[in-house]
Amino acid sequence: MTERLIIFDTTLRDGEQSPGCTLNRMQKLRMADTLVQLGVDVIEAGYPNASQDDFDAVRAIATQAHGITVCGLARCNESDIEAAAKAIEPAASGRIHVFIAASPIHREMKLKMTRAQVLERAIKGVRQARARCADVEFSAEDATRAEPDFLIELFSAVIEAGASTINVPDTVGFTTPTEYRELIGLLRRQVRGIEHAVLSTHCHNDLGLAVANSLAGVEAGARQVECTVGGIGERAGNAALEEIVMAVRTRPERFGVHTRIVTPKIYGAARTLSSLIAQPIPRNKPIVGQNAFAHESGIHQHGMIADRSTYEIMKPEDIGVPGSQLILGKHSGKAAVRDRLGQLGYELHEDEVEPLMVRYKHLADRKKEVFDADLEALYLGVEPGDEQPWTLANLHVTTAIGNTAEPTASITLRTADGHVVREAAVGDGPIDAIARAVARATQVPFKLIDYNVQSVTQGGDAQGRAHVRLTADGREYRGQSVSTDVIEASARALVDAINRIVSVSQARLRSLKATGT
Ligand code: KIV
Ligand code: ZN
């Protein structure tokens, strides 16, 4: 049986104090609820003496979060400890986390204190906290740049004063895995009373080593890891919760520990945080990034089709990610193209594969990603140069600020044989009005599911590229266009998508007729 690793989440304290990640009280409560559902053991909810807002947020979380420990941070002084104690009072299980800097740089430059003074302040702080709360954690800030003999003396003394968790912060992300493993091992062997306390890691990511260092600490016997969702935190961040949890879960034989985290809720937690702090999850982020379970290389796709374990060490569903994706692009090979066409309902005969792959590679060289509709068009023989079923001949859009008039679009479309169709529609906005007018004119029923415009050049006459995603007949289609007028670009993108729908359904019909089905 593996030992339990305590997950101490500091997203709402160390994470929230990083640039661009500030949360208001309601947002903190929402995130705290997500962390409870995720199954973290401890939520460090804030630094109550920092501001009234922080105090209120910690107290609100202590009141509402059940089944976990709620922790408040404090320096080793009376007013901080008092504020933390009051803030966590309503919690069924509360913790006060006191800290003081331990390294010579911090002692001399920041605190202007000697070793003896730091030691005395730490003992006093832990005693005061212990008088208010049974669960006290002590951190030696910048521990990885402190003298090891001082850490041993300091930690032995605070355990005697009542601390039950001993945290070893790599405050500036300075240490390396081997060094941190040795330090945790040394403390485990030499700190008096350590067998009655939990050793904890707290690693920052300045050199990109936060997770590796935390895991090295676990290998050396640490049984609490301090981390944040998505690794948000001061400067380059803290150790990412999802990476630690999935590392120990994927390699139990290596780490010999387990957590209480409900891993299928990891992806949802990362997305909740991302929307609260209004920062997208980077595409290449381990575990929760869009690319984490996406495969583009032909060799990898071939392996994945044969057996997922060839290129995936975790199952996406174990993290709550919707599923593995084989991204079709220029690196994809026959296996993936054939597989995707099969999923779309088209069985490729052996003699069709090579000619299709020649055309596929040609298309993939020009496009970043080949979508289902592109592949279907390719299979059905619709060439990009084919005459377009519809062309935008004229567009007039009116819109007004305030409730004075509804946005209206009048549109003129021309068919391939020169026939002209005019239509008009009102909508919730100009794009909605255009989409309705296009649907009426072409009589193609579709649902607009996504629309965005990006600037592709700079300056006052910048060109805008409009992208639309539609569904029609149960399939997804995309369209795009570029113009200096974003409304015109949007209308042309819609017509582009309609043309793909029409071309594919015409080709599908031709192919049914040819096969006599
Ligand atoms: O990084 C650090 O040293 C901290 C302490 C307050 C634990 O965040
Ligand atoms: Zn920190």
Side-chain angles (χ1 to χ4, degrees), residues 301 305 326-330 332-348 352-384 475-478 500-501 503-505 507-508 511:
Q301 292 181 341
I305 291 164
L326 301 189
I327 303 290
L328 292 183
K330 65 177 182 179
S332 305
K334 279 182 224 166
V337 170
R338 232 179 148 162
D339 188 65
R340 180 67 65 84
L341 274 170
Q343 286 168 20
L344 292 171
Y346 301 108
E347 283 312 318
L348 270 188
E352 289 177 307
V353 177
E354 285 309 329
L356 183 100
M357 284 312 289
V358 172
R359 289 192 291 131
Y360 173 83
K361 289 283 178 191
H362 184 65
L363 175 70
D365 269 344
R366 285 179 289 128
K367 292 197 85 207
K368 263 201 186 132
E369 206 175 309
V370 178
F371 299 105
D372 287 354
D374 301 319
L375 193 61
E376 197 174 14
L378 198 73
Y379 173 77
L380 294 167
V382 181
E383 294 296 334
R475 290 174 203 270
E476 189 177 313
Y477 295 86
R478 296 176 190 233
R500 288 167 203 259
I501 300 174
S503 304
V504 166
S505 64
R508 213 184 285 145
S511 122

Side-chain angles (χ1 to χ4, degrees), residues 19-35:
C21 297
T22 315
L23 299 173
N24 63 31
R25 194 162 64 93
M26 289 315 290
Q27 291 171 322
K28 275 192 159 197
L29 274 168
R30 171 85 183 76
M31 193 61 207
D33 187 46
T34 301
L35 294 171

Side-chain angles (χ1 to χ4, degrees), residues 293-497:
F293 294 95
H295 309 265
E296 194 186 320
S297 130
I299 296 169
H300 290 204
Q301 292 181 341
H302 187 192
M304 281 288 293
I305 291 164
D307 190 314
R308 276 162 61 162
S309 63
T310 49
Y311 288 100
E312 279 184 356
I313 57 166
M314 295 165 274
K315 292 193 189 121
E317 55 270 30
D318 288 348
I319 295 145
V321 172
S324 318
Q325 272 179 292
L326 301 189
I327 303 290
L328 292 183
K330 65 177 182 179
H331 304 293
S332 305
K334 279 182 224 166
V337 170
R338 232 179 148 162
D339 188 65
R340 180 67 65 84
L341 274 170
Q343 286 168 20
L344 292 171
Y346 301 108
E347 283 312 318
L348 270 188
H349 295 294
E350 214 39 62
D351 57 348
E352 289 177 307
V353 177
E354 285 309 329
L356 183 100
M357 284 312 289
V358 172
R359 289 192 291 131
Y360 173 83
K361 289 283 178 191
H362 184 65
L363 175 70
D365 269 344
R366 285 179 289 128
K367 292 197 85 207
K368 263 201 186 132
E369 206 175 309
V370 178
F371 299 105
D372 287 354
D374 301 319
L375 193 61
E376 197 174 14
L378 198 73
Y379 173 77
L380 294 167
V382 181
E383 294 296 334
D386 280 1
E387 201 166 14
Q388 295 303 312
W390 295 97
T391 317
L392 180 68
N394 206 335
L395 172 71
H396 182 79
V397 178
T398 51
T399 182
I401 296 178
N403 283 337
T404 49
E406 282 181 293
T408 310
S410 319
I411 197 160
T412 307
L413 296 180
R414 190 172 296 115
T415 62
D417 56 12
H419 191 64
V420 169
V421 182
R422 289 193 184 83
E423 269 298 347
V426 292
D428 290 340
I431 306 305
D432 187 43
I434 296 172
R436 285 169 193 259
V438 169
R440 271 189 198 163
T442 58
Q443 306 212 335
V444 173
F446 65 85
K447 190 160 174 260
L448 181 61
I449 51 171
D450 194 22
Y451 160 72
N452 71 68
V453 180
Q454 287 166 335
S455 152
V456 283
T457 52
Q458 289 180 337
D461 61 349
Q463 299 238 70
R465 172 176 286 130
H467 289 267
V468 294
R469 267 169 64 214
L470 319 175
T471 48
D473 208 9
R475 290 174 203 270
E476 189 177 313
Y477 295 86
R478 296 176 190 233
Q480 59 166 315
S481 182
V482 177
S483 169
T484 45
D485 178 335
V486 291
I487 296 288
E488 182 190 332
S490 311
R492 290 196 185 282
L494 277 162
V495 174
D496 182 38

Side-chain angles (χ1 to χ4, degrees), residues 92-103:
S93 167
R95 175 182 293 185
I96 300 178
H97 176 188
V98 291
F99 75 99
I100 190 164
S103 67

